[in-house]
Amino acid sequence: MSGEADYPRAAKSVLSMGEGMVGMIRKPWLVVPVIALLAAALVYQFALRPAPAAFVTVQVNPSIEFGINDEQEVISVKGLDDAGKAAIKTLDLANVRNRLVGDALTAL
């Protein structure tokens, strides 16, 4: 507003008086891939990624935790302390994934 109580003109718009931007998408070709990507991420997060059914924790310095699924296969290996993290690298325990928990404990 200027000092003389008049309003400067705005730049010409595609919209006319009373119209809004509700429902207008600037790049409609981008909507479907974005929704598909979000849906795929949610499916992976909640349906396809195996969640551990139980944990086997070995705490005899070093401390190591094996996450196992319903079929007693190891799906995760985690060192609980510095010695455990070093043991996983030294003993190459990362390769026990998808093996039976008994085989993983034998490898330890």
Side-chain angles (χ1 to χ4, degrees):
M1 192 164 131
S2 64
E4 299 177 2
D6 60 340
Y7 295 93
R9 288 197 171 263
K12 191 166 188 167
S13 173
V14 177
L15 300 175
S16 61
M17 189 65 143
E19 288 184 316
M21 295 285 293
V22 177
M24 294 183 69
I25 299 173
R26 291 186 183 254
K27 296 180 183 178
W29 55 269
L30 191 59
V31 172
V32 173
V34 168
I35 290 173
L37 183 64
L38 288 174
L42 288 173
V43 166
Y44 174 76
Q45 181 67 27
F46 295 110
L48 299 180
R49 197 169 105 194
F55 291 99
V56 174
T57 304
V58 179
Q59 294 205 0
V60 185
N61 200 15
S63 296
I64 299 172
E65 178 181 86
F66 296 104
I68 59 174
N69 64 10
D70 292 336
E71 298 169 1
Q72 296 184 358
E73 295 173 336
V74 176
I75 59 172
S76 66
V77 179
K78 180 170 118 178
L80 300 178
D81 57 5
D82 292 336
K85 292 173 186 173
I88 290 172
K89 291 178 184 175
T90 304
L91 298 174
D92 199 22
L93 290 178
N95 290 334
V96 298
R97 286 192 178 101
N98 299 323
R99 291 174 48 190
L100 293 177
V101 68
D103 295 339
L105 290 173
T106 303
L108 179 62

